[in-house]
Amino acid sequence: MEKHMAVCPYCGAGCKLNLLVDDGMVIGAEGIDGVTNEGELCLKGLSGFDFINDTKILTPRILHPMIRREKGGELERVTWDEALDFTAQRLTEIKEKYGPDAIMLTGSSRGPGNEANFVMQKFTRACIGTNNIDNCARTCHGPSVIGLMDTVGSGAMSVSIPNLENADLIMLFGYNPSASHPIVARRIVKAKEKGAKIIVVDPRSIETARIADLYIQIKNGCNLAFMNAFANVIVSENMHDKAFIDAHTNGFDAWWETIKNYTPESVAEVCGCDPDDIRKAARMYATAPNSVIGWGMGVTQQRQGVKVVHTIAAIACVANQIGRDNAGLAPVRGQNNVQGSCDMGMWPSLLPGYQKVENPEMRAKFEKAWGLPAGTLPAEPGFKLTDLPHGVKEGKIRAFYNFGEDPLQTEPDSADMKETLENLDLLISQDIFMTQTTALADVVFPGTSWGEHDGVFSASDRTFQRFTAAVPPKGECKHDWQIFQELSTRMGYPMHYEDTEEIWNEVRELCPNFYGATYEKMAGTGHAQWPVPTLECPGTPTLYKNGQFNTADKKAILMAHDFVEPTELPDDAYPLVLCTVREVGHYSCRSMTGNCKVLSMLADEPGYVHINPADAEARNIRDEDLVWVSSRRGKVITRACLDERINKGAVYMTYQWWIGKCNDLTMHVTDPLSGTPEDKYSACEVHSIDDQVWAERHMQALYSALKDRLAAEAAPQNVAPAAEASAE
């Protein structure tokens, strides 16, 4: 049996493991002593490996390139040469007719690695000539990136995950680590065992609330009002650090002009909590020797996500709870390489290494390195991923290159997204599985899965780690970076890399903060935590030491905003609040975890709507009943889970399920500062179904039909006889 070192592909914790291989099949996983996990793995880490083997439990892997020769035609299996020639011709035609900005691309945070994302953004900018490149951070932690860059200068965690357990206080705000990052939750439990105080602020009584010293149950959608009041207490009770504020921040007086209006009493009705609890939490946070605030998508997927991040950062600065090993800001990222996708420049306003596209010196540096004439790289930021629907409607976006994501499952208002994808002139989907998005594509490129390629991931806390291939590529699959470079070469901008290390060394040369992160330094369980500017630098677990922020004058910028209500409030027709959340045993669009034997047995379609027993009783709904959930966007069938930890007036659904798809219900309304969807707040209603036998049969019929359709798309009958012989 062979062992091959890897990094878990399922969240931003960055757990190291070995994949166990026997006779060319991945048969197991075991934890190794990585900096974050110290030999331990969660459920997904231990059991989420066998999708690599193409189990076909949920949906089959894509093993050969396919095209539709005409819009609406059948997918046809073709050779790589034909697929790449066809795609290059179509993209070139669109570029020549409508301009490069008519083409939109999105990177992948779900396993390809930093090198593949770097090559894709290089193809986007140097070959196509647009900044229309984005990644799934747009729909999750985009507000964290933007809000932190606005205030403290770097859009990342300021502390390391291992140091969480040494904090004196940890405050979790809109973040459920037990479901999202179980290994991070383990660090929080260890902190508690060492004497740390825990504060949880969340509408749901999440797992960590059970060990919290203070749990504050707030209303959905009140985040900014709560945080403004929290900040008000710190200053009103003279718990702010005046010396630190004067020496290391700008804008305190203007910030306080807004914050002073938000007393705990003034927000009590909006927040639905006792003003004394807000005071108690603020006192605990401000007076602890070292405090950390951790947040998740309960903060970011809101109408005022960026503004809440501004306020969180200001609170840390005003209280001087930042810039120490065990004190700072902890936005823990969701997908395993969403930090890395941002690091690599999969962002419409940022080149790799967070170098702004609007900076002429940065553009000139990349033009020289990439052999481009001066003035070639575009200076204007491109479209965001969430601009896609209206961009297509307005005729501004004609082609979309989807890399390793399933927006038809994961983006809000699925009906609108389906119409968007169908109305494109050209949809390219590069993935490892036949997803709902890929089934609509005009071009299908089969990439290699995690376990079949080498590379580097960035963990949530800025830690670079290497992973290695365990088995060779299946079928005719190519490495993602190879596909991009071959397509680029056909379109007139030649690229050729021999391996991922050559790509990574180019990244290092272009990004000063990454330069010291060599493959050698990351060998085995080694790691490099950026900024790591020199070969000798051991890495930087903690940002902003001694009050030195990554802004122009090294001072933090304090920013405050007034609270506004969510976009769509409950009413008589839709009296409940729908909030989307994560599933501990599944991941993203479920194409990976749904094809793992152990994980697929935990639960199956149509998933659950979690509802308070009082709300269920009022609707004559019993536990495990199939029910209808409806909103102004649509209606889905799902299963009811009566849960006393759910706050009254709200329901919670995970977005992994195909039939009980919560994104059939959510709105395509975004935070105007980040473009991130307001997934945490939509109005809905839940209806009972009298005939449960019919409901079970109906649900199963829907599920079987969808699985059968995707399986058929992945294996077209009209296979070209020469396909096998001519495959590269």
Side-chain angles (χ1 to χ4, degrees):
M1 184 174 64
E2 305 168 7
K3 295 184 179 183
H4 297 269
M5 178 196 68
V7 179
C8 182
Y10 291 120
C11 82
C15 299
K16 294 284 276 197
L17 54 88
N18 280 328
L19 288 175
L20 311 180
V21 178
D22 186 39
D23 195 25
M25 300 284 284
V26 182
I27 61 169
E30 63 179 15
I32 57 177
D33 192 23
V35 62
T36 298
N37 63 310
E38 298 176 319
E40 296 193 13
L41 293 174
C42 77
L43 176 67
K44 291 194 288 289
L46 283 170
S47 304
F49 57 85
D50 48 332
F51 74 88
I52 301 168
N53 302 328
D54 193 17
T55 62
K56 299 181 176 64
I57 295 170
L58 181 66
T59 184
R61 285 195 59 176
I62 306 164
L63 300 177
H64 42 256
M66 294 178 279
I67 62 172
R68 300 184 202 273
R69 297 190 184 275
E70 57 184 29
K71 199 72 179 175
E74 296 294 320
L75 274 176
E76 176 184 338
R77 179 177 173 180
V78 294
T79 66
W80 270 109
D81 281 338
E82 186 167 5
L84 290 164
D85 288 344
F86 175 86
T87 307
Q89 180 182 344
R90 293 295 308 279
L91 285 174
T92 300
E93 290 171 351
I94 291 170
K95 178 180 175 180
E96 290 176 349
K97 185 173 182 179
Y98 301 105
D101 290 337
I103 301 170
M104 175 78 200
L105 302 91
T106 183
S108 177
S109 304
R110 296 175 52 228
N114 284 336
E115 294 87 346
N117 280 291
F118 176 82
V119 177
M120 188 189 201
Q121 67 79 37
K122 182 176 179 180
F123 165 67
T124 301
R125 294 181 161 113
C127 179
I128 294 178
T130 182
N131 283 318
N132 291 349
I133 182 73
D134 209 351
N135 78 94
C136 71
R138 182 67 55 192
T139 59
C140 55
H141 267 290
S144 296
V145 175
I146 295 168
L148 293 177
M149 290 188 72
D150 288 345
T151 52
V152 292
S154 290
M157 288 179 66
S158 73
V159 293
S160 72
I161 291 172
N163 275 338
L164 289 178
E165 70 178 66
N166 298 315
D168 299 292
L169 180 141
I170 298 173
M171 176 172 169
L172 303 182
F173 189 60
Y175 172 44
N176 183 11
S178 296
S180 302
H181 306 90
I183 296 298
V184 177
R186 166 180 166 267
R187 294 282 185 178
I188 294 170
V189 171
K190 283 190 172 184
K192 175 73 174 179
E193 292 170 346
K194 292 180 178 181
K197 300 296 184 182
I198 308 295
I199 300 172
V200 171
V201 183
D202 202 290
R204 291 184 300 165
S205 180
I206 60 172
E207 287 294 325
T208 313
R210 297 183 178 188
I211 65 168
D213 297 274
L214 177 61
Y215 167 53
I216 304 177
Q217 187 170 51
I218 58 174
K219 290 183 179 179
N220 301 74
C222 73
N223 291 349
L224 187 57
F226 181 92
M227 274 301 178
N228 281 354
F230 189 95
N232 178 287
V233 173
I234 292 173
V235 178
S236 295
E237 298 190 7
N238 202 33
M239 293 182 290
H240 56 308
D241 189 323
K242 297 176 183 177
F244 186 88
I245 293 168
D246 291 342
H248 301 294
T249 73
N250 289 317
F252 176 81
D253 289 342
W255 177 81
W256 177 243
E257 280 300 308
T258 296
I259 296 300
K260 71 180 182 182
N261 300 315
Y262 287 85
T263 64
E265 285 77 17
S266 72
V267 304
E269 184 175 351
V270 169
C271 296
C273 61
D274 188 331
D276 286 341
D277 281 343
I278 300 178
R279 287 194 173 86
K280 184 177 180 181
R283 292 166 187 159
M284 291 170 64
Y285 170 83
T287 60
N290 294 287
S291 293
V292 173
I293 299 181
W295 68 93
M297 285 183 282
V299 166
T300 59
Q301 290 181 330
Q302 303 271 5
R303 182 179 182 180
Q304 294 188 290
V306 172
K307 293 179 178 179
V308 176
V309 174
H310 287 162
T311 304
I312 292 171
I315 287 169
C317 293
V318 166
N320 192 8
Q321 292 287 9
I322 193 167
R324 298 188 296 279
D325 287 344
N326 312 316
L329 304 167
V332 189
R333 313 299 285 270
Q335 295 193 31
N336 85 306
N337 201 42
V338 69
Q339 181 68 53
S341 295
C342 296
D343 291 348
M344 295 301 106
M346 302 299 252
W347 200 255
S349 59
L350 298 172
L351 292 158
Y354 302 93
Q355 299 169 90
K356 295 181 178 180
V357 301
E358 295 168 303
N359 186 325
E361 293 181 2
M362 296 301 102
R363 295 198 308 276
K365 178 176 73 171
F366 280 85
E367 286 166 349
K368 181 178 179 181
W370 292 346
L372 297 169
T376 299
L377 290 178
E380 293 296 319
F383 289 125
K384 299 181 285 291
L385 178 59
T386 45
D387 290 331
L388 185 65
H390 66 255
V392 173
K393 288 182 176 70
E394 296 168 7
K396 295 178 180 177
I397 300 175
R398 316 292 301 203
F400 177 48
Y401 195 147
N402 173 64
F403 171 33
E405 299 292 343
D406 187 8
L408 197 52
Q409 180 70 28
T410 59
E411 297 299 306
D413 196 350
S414 299
D416 184 55
M417 178 56 70
K418 185 172 187 290
E419 181 181 342
T420 296
L421 298 177
E422 290 174 337
N423 287 336
L424 288 158
D425 293 357
L426 179 67
L427 173 60
I428 304 162
S429 193
Q430 185 167 315
D431 210 325
I432 58 176
F433 286 104
M434 181 55 69
T435 65
Q436 294 170 71
T437 298
T438 303
L440 297 177
D442 304 296
V443 176
V444 177
F445 288 143
T448 46
S449 74
W450 169 79
E452 295 172 344
H453 52 236
D454 301 339
V456 172
F457 289 143
S458 304
S460 284
D461 61 357
R462 300 169 283 107
T463 299
F464 291 133
Q465 296 182 105
R466 278 193 63 196
F467 60 95
T468 57
V471 292
K474 297 281 186 297
E476 299 172 31
C477 296
K478 284 181 179 284
H479 298 313
D480 295 297
W481 57 268
Q482 291 177 322
I483 299 170
F484 299 135
Q485 72 176 15
E486 291 184 29
L487 185 57
S488 183
T489 300
R490 281 169 166 81
M491 292 182 66
Y493 180 73
M495 278 197 275
H496 180 76
Y497 298 99
E498 291 292 338
D499 53 29
T500 55
E501 185 172 13
E502 184 180 351
I503 301 168
W504 185 249
N505 286 336
E506 182 176 324
V507 173
R508 292 175 48 242
E509 293 291 340
L510 286 167
C511 303
N513 281 335
F514 305 162
Y515 180 74
T518 63
Y519 264 35
E520 290 76 17
K521 190 175 288 185
M522 294 182 282
T525 56
H527 64 280
Q529 198 165 8
W530 69 258
V532 52
T534 66
L535 295 177
E536 296 75 27
C537 178
T540 310
T542 304
L543 297 179
Y544 320 128
K545 284 194 171 183
N546 301 313
Q548 298 298 294
F549 295 95
N550 293 335
T551 55
D553 63 359
K554 303 300 181 183
K555 292 186 176 183
I557 302 168
L558 306 183
M559 305 175 73
H561 311 276
D562 285 313
F563 168 74
V564 297
E565 292 181 324
T567 303
E568 185 180 71
L569 298 176
D571 57 18
D572 290 343
Y574 299 100
L576 300 174
V577 174
L578 168 63
C579 180
T580 65
V581 293
R582 288 186 180 275
E583 173 79 34
V584 68
H586 283 293
Y587 170 72
S588 190
C589 63
R590 200 163 54 100
S591 60
M592 292 160 64
T593 54
N595 280 291
C596 296
K597 184 177 181 180
V598 171
L599 299 179
S600 68
M601 291 190 297
L602 295 174
D604 206 344
E605 296 284 356
Y608 287 90
V609 56
H610 289 252
I611 185 170
N612 185 278
D615 289 327
E617 183 179 6
R619 291 161 175 80
N620 195 31
I621 292 170
R622 298 164 299 181
D623 194 41
E624 295 289 329
D625 274 1
L626 285 169
V627 296
W628 292 113
V629 185
S630 61
S631 76
R632 291 179 176 85
R633 272 68 57 191
K635 182 172 76 169
V636 300
I637 191 168
T638 190
R639 205 174 297 281
C641 176
L642 277 59
D643 188 345
E644 292 182 351
R645 292 190 293 163
I646 300 301
N647 51 312
K648 293 179 182 178
V651 297
Y652 296 80
M653 297 176 71
T654 59
Y655 62 88
Q656 281 83 11
W657 305 105
W658 289 2
I659 303 306
K661 188 197 296 188
C662 62
N663 280 323
D664 282 345
L665 311 174
T666 52
M667 301 179 293
H668 186 77
V669 176
T670 62
D671 174 351
L673 298 179
S674 67
T676 299
E678 195 177 5
D679 286 343
K680 293 294 184 274
Y681 203 106
S682 301
C684 77
E685 177 60 299
V686 183
H687 305 270
S688 62
I689 300 175
D690 291 336
D691 190 341
Q692 287 291 302
V693 173
W694 172 87
E696 293 284 355
R697 290 172 178 168
H698 176 67
M699 182 274 296
Q700 288 294 340
L702 292 173
Y703 187 29
S704 297
L706 180 53
K707 288 180 68 174
D708 290 347
R709 179 171 70 84
L710 297 186
E713 293 282 11
Q717 297 302 308
N718 55 333
V719 177
E724 295 292 343
S726 62
E728 295 179 2

